[in-house]
Amino acid sequence: MRALIVGGGIGGLAAAAAFHQRGWQLEVLEQAPEFTEVGAGLAVQPNGLRALDALGLGDMLRSGGTAAPLAGVRSADGRWMIRNDVAKLERRFGPWVTVHRAALVDLLRTAVPARALRPGTEVREVRADGTVLHSGGTSKADLVVGADGVHSVTRRSVWPRLPGPRYVGYTTWRLIAPPRHVEGSVETWGRGARFGHAPLPDRRVYCYLMANAPKGSRTGLAQLCERFADWHDPVPALLGSADSDAVLQHDTYELPALHTYVRERVALLGDAAHAMTPNLGQGACQALEDAVTLAATVDELGTEAGLAAYDRVRVPRTRMIARRSRQAGSPAHWTSVPGTALRDAV
């Protein structure tokens, strides 16, 4: 059996690793000139680690050091609004791991044969019968996996009438600050903005910021330092120590809920299927779950029945998580003084 995977990010490489484990022939088509990840930090939560365990990679990621779950949420002046029972969460679910996104991609790439990787390949059209037209010619497979992100060519080709991604009203910045001590993973909410930080295994600090902004607007580090200057420590210090050239800004999009992720010989996974807001930190974890579930169901049941089973399992779960993520982040972006005061009190 042969699988053709469109997209060589976290979800695509995880799918490739899962199908390779089961003896499938593979091609992974990636538009970028190399298989890597442009990004900053990433929290792999216990469900994502269990998906990596299915690939035999979970302990390799844990070996770099585990992390505690989110300690809680503070207000801009430093008051705790939510304190999580971190020890209880770890006992119930297991540890988290915070890593650089590129490190996870590198780990997944080691589980995929080098001969299967096709960097620098632009996919132009995907057909439901398993045909893919790309810059290197035409390929055909028993299964095509669309793991090509929120602006997926696979989804647009096979589901041309579906609505595209929608901007959720805020933009996101990510950066890595130099090593310093921080009190675990903490998020802070202000009016229409928030800031989060989490320590990496090498003591550097992964930081993310989100703020209400018009789509396409751009803000540099100096302006961010000014905007967050009166927030509690260590927010100003973390921003002040960052390298302005290493700050990444991306508008935040989500996909309208899809009723199905499969059609004939094509399946969507990850952001191509269910791009969600980052409020629960579940985007990569859900892509990992998708990948191991898809490989298991299709290999065990055959393409048609396996894709139907994948759809039955993954659509309701990912739609639920996307909905909860949207709800969880909404109060952080309220802007009215009475509304935010009420939110903070509650």
Side-chain angles (χ1 to χ4, degrees), residues 5-29:
I5 297 166
V6 182
I10 291 170
L13 288 174
F19 279 105
H20 174 62
Q21 274 188 342
R22 296 169 180 274
W24 284 51
Q25 296 179 350
L26 297 169
E27 270 191 287
V28 185
L29 308 181

Side-chain angles (χ1 to χ4, degrees), residues 140-314:
K140 187 76 181 286
D142 299 288
L143 174 67
V144 176
V145 180
D148 46 346
V150 64
H151 301 290
S152 168
V153 172
T154 308
R155 190 183 66 248
R156 292 201 309 267
S157 295
V158 183
W159 289 267
R161 293 185 177 86
L162 289 177
R166 59 193 176 207
Y167 181 56
V168 299
Y170 50 86
T171 190
T172 302
W173 297 265
R174 296 178 176 89
L175 60 94
I176 303 291
R180 67 175 294 133
H181 173 73
V182 293
E183 53 180 329
S185 176
V186 176
E187 189 162 297
T188 300
W189 289 6
R191 290 177 53 205
R194 54 185 150 148
F195 182 101
H197 63 69
L200 293 170
D202 60 5
R203 295 189 66 246
R204 291 184 300 165
V205 184
Y206 165 50
C207 303
Y208 58 90
L209 304 84
M210 302 176 193
N212 298 355
K215 182 171 65 173
S217 61
R218 289 295 173 260
T219 302
L221 180 59
Q223 293 167 290
L224 292 175
C225 288
E226 182 178 347
R227 176 167 186 171
F228 291 87
D230 61 348
W231 286 38
H232 68 83
D233 290 332
V235 173
L238 288 168
L239 286 173
S241 66
D243 179 356
S244 60
D245 293 333
V247 178
L248 302 172
Q249 180 180 354
H250 298 96
D251 286 343
T252 309
Y253 289 88
E254 65 177 359
L255 278 177
L258 307 184
H259 296 293
T260 179
Y261 300 157
V262 305
R263 179 163 293 170
E264 295 185 29
R265 293 183 177 272
V266 177
L268 299 175
L269 66 73
D271 283 352
H274 47 67
M276 60 186 69
T277 58
N279 304 317
L280 296 183
Q282 276 289 316
C285 293
Q286 290 307 303
L288 292 169
E289 285 189 12
D290 288 345
V292 297
T293 304
L294 177 63
T297 57
V298 171
D299 189 65
E300 293 168 11
L301 302 176
T303 304
E304 184 176 352
L307 288 177
Y310 169 74
D311 224 24
R312 284 196 302 272
V313 171
R314 298 305 302 159

Side-chain angles (χ1 to χ4, degrees), residues 11 23 71 150 170 179 232 237 272 281 296 317 319-320 331 344:
V150 64
Y170 50 86
H232 68 83
R317 175 165 171 77
R319 288 179 68 172
M320 175 269 291
D344 293 358

Side-chain angles (χ1 to χ4, degrees), residues 69 84-94 96:
N84 288 331
D85 187 335
V86 171
K88 183 177 180 180
L89 287 172
E90 287 190 292
R91 286 195 303 271
R92 180 176 178 184
F93 297 110
W96 274 237

